[in-house]
PDB file of all heavy atoms in Angstrom:
ATOM      1  N   LYS A 632    -167.220 -26.398  78.700  1.00  0.00           N
ATOM      2  CA  LYS A 632    -168.207 -27.460  78.970  1.00  0.00           C
ATOM      3  C   LYS A 632    -167.619 -28.868  78.846  1.00  0.00           C
ATOM      4  O   LYS A 632    -166.562 -29.052  78.211  1.00  0.00           O
ATOM      5  CB  LYS A 632    -169.282 -27.347  77.910  1.00  0.00           C
ATOM      6  CG  LYS A 632    -170.180 -26.196  78.089  1.00  0.00           C
ATOM      7  CD  LYS A 632    -171.369 -26.227  77.149  1.00  0.00           C
ATOM      8  CE  LYS A 632    -172.143 -24.906  77.249  1.00  0.00           C
ATOM      9  NZ  LYS A 632    -172.952 -24.597  76.198  1.00  0.00           N
ATOM     10  N   THR A 633    -168.174 -29.763  79.522  1.00  0.00           N
ATOM     11  CA  THR A 633    -167.737 -31.208  79.349  1.00  0.00           C
ATOM     12  C   THR A 633    -168.293 -31.674  77.983  1.00  0.00           C
ATOM     13  O   THR A 633    -169.185 -31.089  77.380  1.00  0.00           O
ATOM     14  CB  THR A 633    -168.364 -32.131  80.464  1.00  0.00           C
ATOM     15  OG1 THR A 633    -169.779 -32.012  80.313  1.00  0.00           O
ATOM     16  CG2 THR A 633    -167.923 -31.672  81.863  1.00  0.00           C
ATOM     17  N   ARG A 634    -167.835 -32.870  77.614  1.00  0.00           N
ATOM     18  CA  ARG A 634    -168.252 -33.397  76.362  1.00  0.00           C
ATOM     19  C   ARG A 634    -169.765 -33.659  76.367  1.00  0.00           C
ATOM     20  O   ARG A 634    -170.484 -33.606  75.356  1.00  0.00           O
ATOM     21  CB  ARG A 634    -167.511 -34.665  75.957  1.00  0.00           C
ATOM     22  CG  ARG A 634    -166.069 -34.292  75.608  1.00  0.00           C
ATOM     23  CD  ARG A 634    -165.291 -35.415  75.054  1.00  0.00           C
ATOM     24  NE  ARG A 634    -163.907 -35.018  74.978  1.00  0.00           N
ATOM     25  CZ  ARG A 634    -162.955 -35.516  75.720  1.00  0.00           C
ATOM     26  NH1 ARG A 634    -163.125 -36.636  76.477  1.00  0.00           N
ATOM     27  NH2 ARG A 634    -161.744 -35.017  75.684  1.00  0.00           N
ATOM     28  N   SER A 635    -170.304 -33.855  77.497  1.00  0.00           N
ATOM     29  CA  SER A 635    -171.802 -34.080  77.578  1.00  0.00           C
ATOM     30  C   SER A 635    -172.571 -32.814  77.763  1.00  0.00           C
ATOM     31  O   SER A 635    -173.752 -32.711  77.949  1.00  0.00           O
ATOM     32  CB  SER A 635    -172.119 -35.070  78.762  1.00  0.00           C
ATOM     33  OG  SER A 635    -171.701 -34.457  79.971  1.00  0.00           O
ATOM     34  N   GLY A 636    -171.827 -31.680  77.611  1.00  0.00           N
ATOM     35  CA  GLY A 636    -172.473 -30.328  77.547  1.00  0.00           C
ATOM     36  C   GLY A 636    -172.651 -29.661  78.932  1.00  0.00           C
ATOM     37  O   GLY A 636    -173.382 -28.614  79.013  1.00  0.00           O
ATOM     38  N   LYS A 637    -172.142 -30.225  79.984  1.00  0.00           N
ATOM     39  CA  LYS A 637    -172.290 -29.577  81.329  1.00  0.00           C
ATOM     40  C   LYS A 637    -171.287 -28.412  81.492  1.00  0.00           C
ATOM     41  O   LYS A 637    -170.109 -28.701  81.172  1.00  0.00           O
ATOM     42  CB  LYS A 637    -172.197 -30.585  82.428  1.00  0.00           C
ATOM     43  CG  LYS A 637    -173.506 -31.214  82.781  1.00  0.00           C
ATOM     44  CD  LYS A 637    -173.282 -32.186  83.956  1.00  0.00           C
ATOM     45  CE  LYS A 637    -173.275 -31.476  85.270  1.00  0.00           C
ATOM     46  NZ  LYS A 637    -173.209 -32.369  86.368  1.00  0.00           N
ATOM     47  N   MET A 639    -168.519 -26.390  83.202  1.00  0.00           N
ATOM     48  CA  MET A 639    -167.541 -26.798  84.209  1.00  0.00           C
ATOM     49  C   MET A 639    -167.339 -25.677  85.220  1.00  0.00           C
ATOM     50  O   MET A 639    -166.401 -24.892  85.016  1.00  0.00           O
ATOM     51  CB  MET A 639    -166.237 -27.263  83.481  1.00  0.00           C
ATOM     52  CG  MET A 639    -166.486 -28.509  82.660  1.00  0.00           C
ATOM     53  SD  MET A 639    -164.902 -28.999  81.829  1.00  0.00           S
ATOM     54  CE  MET A 639    -164.192 -30.087  83.094  1.00  0.00           C
ATOM     55  N   ARG A 641    -166.324 -25.675  88.193  1.00  0.00           N
ATOM     56  CA  ARG A 641    -165.090 -25.858  88.954  1.00  0.00           C
ATOM     57  C   ARG A 641    -164.035 -24.956  88.252  1.00  0.00           C
ATOM     58  O   ARG A 641    -163.330 -24.207  88.947  1.00  0.00           O
ATOM     59  CB  ARG A 641    -164.651 -27.279  89.024  1.00  0.00           C
ATOM     60  CG  ARG A 641    -163.433 -27.503  89.756  1.00  0.00           C
ATOM     61  CD  ARG A 641    -163.213 -29.036  89.838  1.00  0.00           C
ATOM     62  NE  ARG A 641    -163.194 -29.742  88.524  1.00  0.00           N
ATOM     63  CZ  ARG A 641    -162.181 -29.855  87.656  1.00  0.00           C
ATOM     64  NH1 ARG A 641    -161.003 -29.241  87.994  1.00  0.00           N
ATOM     65  NH2 ARG A 641    -162.199 -30.457  86.539  1.00  0.00           N
ATOM     66  N   LEU A 642    -163.932 -25.014  87.005  1.00  0.00           N
ATOM     67  CA  LEU A 642    -162.922 -24.287  86.203  1.00  0.00           C
ATOM     68  C   LEU A 642    -163.300 -22.738  86.323  1.00  0.00           C
ATOM     69  O   LEU A 642    -162.341 -21.956  86.508  1.00  0.00           O
ATOM     70  CB  LEU A 642    -162.878 -24.673  84.763  1.00  0.00           C
ATOM     71  CG  LEU A 642    -162.388 -26.047  84.486  1.00  0.00           C
ATOM     72  CD1 LEU A 642    -162.305 -26.408  83.047  1.00  0.00           C
ATOM     73  CD2 LEU A 642    -161.046 -26.309  85.183  1.00  0.00           C
ATOM     74  N   ASP A 655    -158.499 -31.918  86.705  1.00  0.00           N
ATOM     75  CA  ASP A 655    -158.598 -32.563  85.501  1.00  0.00           C
ATOM     76  C   ASP A 655    -159.374 -31.732  84.460  1.00  0.00           C
ATOM     77  O   ASP A 655    -160.493 -31.259  84.680  1.00  0.00           O
ATOM     78  CB  ASP A 655    -159.476 -33.887  85.775  1.00  0.00           C
ATOM     79  CG  ASP A 655    -159.617 -34.758  84.586  1.00  0.00           C
ATOM     80  OD1 ASP A 655    -158.872 -34.479  83.671  1.00  0.00           O
ATOM     81  OD2 ASP A 655    -160.427 -35.687  84.609  1.00  0.00           O
ATOM     82  N   THR A 656    -158.728 -31.486  83.296  1.00  0.00           N
ATOM     83  CA  THR A 656    -159.458 -30.795  82.226  1.00  0.00           C
ATOM     84  C   THR A 656    -159.704 -31.666  81.038  1.00  0.00           C
ATOM     85  O   THR A 656    -160.054 -31.133  79.991  1.00  0.00           O
ATOM     86  CB  THR A 656    -158.677 -29.533  81.864  1.00  0.00           C
ATOM     87  OG1 THR A 656    -157.374 -29.913  81.575  1.00  0.00           O
ATOM     88  CG2 THR A 656    -158.712 -28.426  82.833  1.00  0.00           C
ATOM     89  N   THR A 657    -159.454 -32.942  81.189  1.00  0.00           N
ATOM     90  CA  THR A 657    -159.457 -33.852  80.074  1.00  0.00           C
ATOM     91  C   THR A 657    -160.848 -33.946  79.527  1.00  0.00           C
ATOM     92  O   THR A 657    -161.087 -34.220  78.314  1.00  0.00           O
ATOM     93  CB  THR A 657    -158.948 -35.294  80.394  1.00  0.00           C
ATOM     94  OG1 THR A 657    -159.596 -35.668  81.570  1.00  0.00           O
ATOM     95  CG2 THR A 657    -157.535 -35.292  80.512  1.00  0.00           C
ATOM     96  N   THR A 658    -161.914 -33.715  80.343  1.00  0.00           N
ATOM     97  CA  THR A 658    -163.294 -33.875  79.805  1.00  0.00           C
ATOM     98  C   THR A 658    -163.744 -32.554  79.086  1.00  0.00           C
ATOM     99  O   THR A 658    -164.852 -32.457  78.632  1.00  0.00           O
ATOM    100  CB  THR A 658    -164.245 -34.225  80.867  1.00  0.00           C
ATOM    101  OG1 THR A 658    -164.080 -33.383  81.917  1.00  0.00           O
ATOM    102  CG2 THR A 658    -164.173 -35.604  81.316  1.00  0.00           C
ATOM    103  N   LEU A 659    -162.906 -31.523  79.205  1.00  0.00           N
ATOM    104  CA  LEU A 659    -163.304 -30.252  78.604  1.00  0.00           C
ATOM    105  C   LEU A 659    -163.414 -30.470  77.069  1.00  0.00           C
ATOM    106  O   LEU A 659    -162.566 -30.983  76.388  1.00  0.00           O
ATOM    107  CB  LEU A 659    -162.159 -29.249  78.910  1.00  0.00           C
ATOM    108  CG  LEU A 659    -162.477 -27.802  78.507  1.00  0.00           C
ATOM    109  CD1 LEU A 659    -163.635 -27.217  79.342  1.00  0.00           C
ATOM    110  CD2 LEU A 659    -161.281 -26.929  78.726  1.00  0.00           C
ATOM    111  N   GLU A 660    -164.519 -29.932  76.496  1.00  0.00           N
ATOM    112  CA  GLU A 660    -164.782 -30.156  75.084  1.00  0.00           C
ATOM    113  C   GLU A 660    -163.811 -29.443  74.213  1.00  0.00           C
ATOM    114  O   GLU A 660    -163.340 -29.969  73.306  1.00  0.00           O
ATOM    115  CB  GLU A 660    -166.237 -29.635  74.797  1.00  0.00           C
ATOM    116  CG  GLU A 660    -166.754 -29.936  73.488  1.00  0.00           C
ATOM    117  CD  GLU A 660    -167.930 -29.061  73.136  1.00  0.00           C
ATOM    118  OE1 GLU A 660    -168.004 -27.903  73.621  1.00  0.00           O
ATOM    119  OE2 GLU A 660    -168.651 -29.533  72.308  1.00  0.00           O
ATOM    120  N   ASP A 661    -163.487 -28.190  74.519  1.00  0.00           N
ATOM    121  CA  ASP A 661    -162.586 -27.462  73.744  1.00  0.00           C
ATOM    122  C   ASP A 661    -161.631 -26.702  74.566  1.00  0.00           C
ATOM    123  O   ASP A 661    -161.981 -25.649  75.178  1.00  0.00           O
ATOM    124  CB  ASP A 661    -163.397 -26.452  72.832  1.00  0.00           C
ATOM    125  CG  ASP A 661    -162.686 -25.614  71.971  1.00  0.00           C
ATOM    126  OD1 ASP A 661    -161.415 -25.692  71.961  1.00  0.00           O
ATOM    127  OD2 ASP A 661    -163.247 -24.609  71.360  1.00  0.00           O
ATOM    128  N   LEU A 662    -160.371 -27.075  74.639  1.00  0.00           N
ATOM    129  CA  LEU A 662    -159.411 -26.487  75.527  1.00  0.00           C
ATOM    130  C   LEU A 662    -159.161 -25.021  75.184  1.00  0.00           C
ATOM    131  O   LEU A 662    -158.814 -24.246  76.095  1.00  0.00           O
ATOM    132  CB  LEU A 662    -158.137 -27.327  75.441  1.00  0.00           C
ATOM    133  CG  LEU A 662    -158.103 -28.438  76.467  1.00  0.00           C
ATOM    134  CD1 LEU A 662    -156.851 -29.337  76.243  1.00  0.00           C
ATOM    135  CD2 LEU A 662    -158.050 -27.938  77.887  1.00  0.00           C
TER     136      LEU A 662
END
Side-chain angles (χ1 to χ4, degrees):
K632 289 189 186 157
T633 60
R634 288 191 193 113
S635 59
K637 270 183 80 178
M639 296 181 86
R641 179 174 55 82
L642 295 185
D655 186 12
T656 52
T657 49
T658 50
L659 189 65
E660 189 198 27
D661 175 6
L662 272 170

